[in-house]
Amino acid sequence: MLLGVPFHAALPFSVIHGWMIESDEKSVLLSWASQLSHTFRMPAFFLLAGIFAAMLLQRDGALPWWRSRMLRVGIPMLTAAILL
């Protein structure tokens, strides 16, 4: 998770990404470093999410897991969709 801090800190200096806040100084080295960390970090997040979801499914069953997902993810997503 901590790899997200240098990734987001390097984005204003990146030559690859267009970011909301851009620096006049661009760095190819920071661009490559941020992309390298990003290609490892995001798949690791999805892998951990799958492992923990499988553990919860095995422990609680499908219906309680689905209800929990709808409360924690579905309600905020629906609220944001309505507001936006």
Side-chain angles (χ1 to χ4, degrees), residues 34-82:
S34 68
Q35 283 302 315
L36 181 66
S37 74
H38 192 59
T39 57
F40 169 78
R41 189 176 62 94
M42 289 311 293
F45 276 141
F46 283 109
L47 179 67
L48 285 173
I51 289 170
F52 286 121
M55 287 172 48
L56 286 171
L57 274 168
Q58 188 176 27
R59 187 185 72 187
D60 297 335
L63 188 61
W65 180 83
W66 186 252
R67 187 177 299 125
S68 171
R69 292 300 97 200
M70 286 299 105
L71 286 174
R72 292 180 180 200
V73 178
I75 290 174
M77 184 176 65
L78 185 62
T79 305
I82 290 170

Side-chain angles (χ1 to χ4, degrees), residues 12-55:
F13 304 100
S14 179
V15 296
I16 300 171
H17 293 290
W19 193 243
M20 291 181 282
I21 301 170
E22 291 188 6
S23 173
D24 292 335
E25 300 175 20
K26 300 292 182 182
S27 172
V28 175
L29 179 63
L30 282 176
S31 300
W32 279 93
S34 68
Q35 283 302 315
L36 181 66
S37 74
H38 192 59
T39 57
F40 169 78
R41 189 176 62 94
M42 289 311 293
F45 276 141
F46 283 109
L47 179 67
L48 285 173
I51 289 170
F52 286 121
M55 287 172 48

